[in-house]
Amino acid sequence: MRSIIDILDLSTQEIDELIATACDIIDNPDKYAEKCKRKKLATLFFEPSTRTRLSFEAAMYELGGNVIGFSAANNSSAAKGESVSDTVKTVSCYADIIAMRHPKEGAPMVASMAASVPIINAGDGGHNHPTQTLADLLTIYREKGGFDNLTIGLCGDLKFGRTVHSLINAMSRYKGIKFILISPEELKLPDYVTNNVLRKNNISYTETTDLLGSMPELDILYMTRVQRERFFNEQDYIRLKDSYILTPDKLETAKEDLAVMHPLPRVNEISVAVDNDKRACYFKQVLNGKYMRMALIMKLLGVE
Ligand code: NCD
């Protein structure tokens, strides 16, 4: 039995295999319609979600399986004081696999030690979000044809943005990657990521506050939302929330084949006028997330 808590729990070879499966699902969906017949996925969401939870659920239904779960902590016995360990021991009696989102960093890891079925981390606090990264990787693969030699701009809340942390971990394993980390001073990438991932692996990176100046270099621009729910102080959020707003004029100096990505939800970071630009890829990411979650569920359930 195997859980996925961190994107690095998957080797690059396994990621290639998941991508191959996802591409086959896209081409031959009928072949997969009964792969998880009589299996149950539990979605335990202690924090809000639209895409992640619904794409896990849609993924399981498209595999012929069933879904149980809750979409808010106050709908579960967590509201009565039950521990995460007791909750997942209980749910292990009802489900074959669990996708879990929790506001506390490390909660899915604790869950994986108590559960008797695989746990998938669907986001833990400001820490990691490995299945968003799977969606991002399939998007990069389909847009760019591979992962080597890309200059990736990450813009916005790099401090609390868990999707950024997981994506940096994932992309740091490929050749010729360069990161341009664009954020306000107060929302810079945490030291534990800069030191343990970028410096440790000798990855080329620069830190800047300047989005426009970075634009011409980028192959990928990954915009993120300022993570209001992780701030201690609402005033700080209000001051920082509109630090970067991508509008069509700002894309004038960008490469023709730039991929503009965002894990969504967007608040103000990308103007809706950008949606019509052929470089906008954020709704493709949404769809790719479902296919990668289908591939991951099959892998963890040992379905051929
Ligand atoms: C992200 C998350 O939950 O971390 N959303 C998602 O799962 N697609 C990004 C965010 O909330 O800003």
Side-chain angles (χ1 to χ4, degrees):
M1 190 202 67
R2 185 169 172 206
S3 291
I4 299 298
I5 305 303
D6 191 299
I7 191 67
L8 298 180
D9 292 339
L10 294 163
S11 69
T12 51
Q13 192 195 327
E14 287 177 310
I15 285 176
D16 289 346
E17 288 161 8
L18 289 173
I19 287 177
T21 304
C23 290
D24 194 51
I25 295 170
I26 293 168
D27 292 340
N28 308 290
D30 292 348
K31 218 169 101 182
Y32 293 87
E34 302 210 332
K35 290 281 185 194
C36 289
K37 200 172 171 186
R38 300 188 56 79
K39 298 282 185 199
K40 270 175 275 153
L41 164 76
T43 50
L44 311 186
F45 277 62
F46 298 83
E47 244 194 5
S49 171
T50 297
R51 275 150 292 270
T52 305
R53 185 173 64 85
L54 296 183
S55 70
F56 264 113
E57 298 190 353
M60 194 54 167
Y61 285 124
E62 289 192 22
L63 293 167
N66 292 298
V67 178
I68 58 173
F70 53 81
S71 58
N74 64 6
N75 286 337
S76 77
S77 285
K80 302 180 190 170
E82 186 170 55
S83 69
V84 162
S85 295
D86 285 359
T87 299
V88 297
K89 273 185 193 158
T90 301
V91 176
S92 295
C93 300
Y94 308 142
D96 302 286
I97 185 165
I98 296 173
M100 178 181 152
R101 169 171 288 189
H102 201 283
K104 283 217 176 82
E105 289 82 0
M109 159 97 97
V110 169
S112 70
M113 296 187 297
S116 50
V117 301
I119 300 279
I120 304 173
N121 178 5
D124 63 325
H127 196 208
N128 282 321
H129 193 347
T131 65
Q132 178 63 46
T133 301
L134 293 178
D136 300 342
L137 291 173
L138 179 57
T139 307
I140 293 171
Y141 176 80
R142 296 179 80 188
E143 296 301 313
K144 299 283 165 198
F147 302 116
D148 293 338
N149 303 315
L150 295 171
T151 297
I152 305 168
L154 297 154
C155 178
D157 186 348
L158 309 187
K159 179 177 181 188
F160 296 118
R162 56 192 174 196
T163 65
V164 166
H165 307 155
S166 292
L167 184 61
I168 288 177
N169 267 290
M171 292 306 296
S172 291
R173 296 191 289 188
Y174 299 102
K175 288 195 209 71
I177 295 298
K178 180 175 179 194
F179 291 107
I180 303 192
L181 306 171
I182 308 154
S183 74
E185 194 60 32
E186 289 154 279
L187 298 179
K188 274 167 66 173
L189 197 67
D191 285 343
Y192 79 89
V193 185
T194 321
N195 293 331
N196 302 347
V197 186
L198 298 176
R199 286 177 192 264
K200 190 171 154 199
N201 296 302
N202 263 317
I203 310 291
S204 160
Y205 74 96
T206 53
E207 294 185 294
T208 175
T209 56
D210 181 16
L211 171 60
L212 264 187
S214 311
M215 194 66 86
E217 261 194 86
L218 304 179
D219 299 305
I220 291 167
L221 172 59
Y222 195 96
M223 298 294 296
T224 60
R225 169 180 74 90
V226 176
Q227 306 280 298
R228 178 181 202 162
E229 64 274 40
R230 317 254 179 256
F231 278 70
F232 293 112
N233 179 336
E234 179 75 3
Q235 286 314 112
D236 288 341
Y237 168 71
I238 290 167
R239 185 165 47 78
L240 294 166
K241 69 185 174 72
D242 292 327
S243 300
Y244 300 99
I245 300 178
L246 185 66
T247 46
D249 56 302
K250 294 191 180 129
L251 285 168
E252 267 165 26
T253 61
K255 289 185 181 171
E256 274 299 301
D257 64 347
L258 171 74
V260 180
M261 299 176 63
H262 191 308
L264 303 180
R266 98 176 117 188
V267 184
N268 259 338
E269 318 72 61
I270 303 183
S271 114
V272 292
V274 174
D275 297 3
N276 300 324
D277 192 299
K278 66 177 187 1
R279 293 169 286 194
C281 294
Y282 25 96
F283 288 104
K284 295 182 186 173
Q285 280 167 271
V286 174
L287 188 57
N288 288 333
K290 183 184 72 177
Y291 297 125
M292 285 303 264
R293 290 179 175 109
M294 288 173 79
L296 182 65
I297 290 168
M298 285 195 292
K299 180 178 177 64
L300 296 181
L301 288 177
V303 174
E304 280 303 304

